[in-house]
Every structure is written in C-alpha cells, then in structure tokens.
Amino acid sequence: MKSDNQTKQTNSDIPEWKQYMLDHYVLTAEERTLLKEGPKSLAQAWHLQALKYRYESRKPARNVED
C-alpha cells in the first residue's frame, strides 16, 4: 500500500503537455483535477483523451520544408 507522499505527483512528474495545459488553458476545476490526478473511470479517461486532443490540435505546427 502506498502512502500519501508516494501517490501525489510533483510538477516534475507531470508530462509536459499536461503542465502546459494547466499553465496556459482555461480549465474547469474538474479538468485541473483530472490532469493532476489522472482518470478514475472510463468516462474520465475519455475526457482526458479529449483534453490531449485539444492540446495537440492547437499547438503550433512544426516547420516543414517543402
């Protein structure tokens, strides 16, 4: 069984895309909790995937040489 200190993530443990969303996007309290703690149900997993899709669709495109 893990203690509370082992289950809580620090900012360095959060993936870059999640930290970027927490810092730059307008999110609800539930979305912030979801990004920090992860999904607890299938519906939350879907919501998390939708947040990642939103992040990926809005990030700047890379320079591609023709």
Side-chain angles (χ1 to χ4, degrees):
M1 185 174 212
K2 293 183 179 181
S3 68
D4 288 335
N5 292 339
Q6 290 175 330
T7 58
K8 291 183 180 178
Q9 292 183 332
T10 62
N11 284 346
S12 62
D13 294 338
I14 296 176
E16 182 180 335
W17 73 271
K18 288 183 179 182
Q19 190 61 51
Y20 185 86
M21 287 199 79
L22 288 167
D23 294 340
H24 297 94
Y25 282 63
V26 176
L27 303 167
T28 64
E30 292 82 14
E31 289 172 334
R32 289 188 168 281
T33 303
L34 183 58
L35 287 169
K36 291 178 184 176
E37 297 178 7
K40 305 287 189 248
S41 68
L42 181 59
Q44 286 183 339
W46 290 335
H47 193 162
L48 183 62
Q49 184 61 35
L51 289 172
K52 187 169 185 182
Y53 179 79
R54 187 167 101 187
Y55 165 78
E56 289 178 347
S57 65
R58 293 185 184 178
K59 68 181 178 180
R62 295 181 181 169
N63 292 336
V64 179
E65 295 182 22
D66 293 344

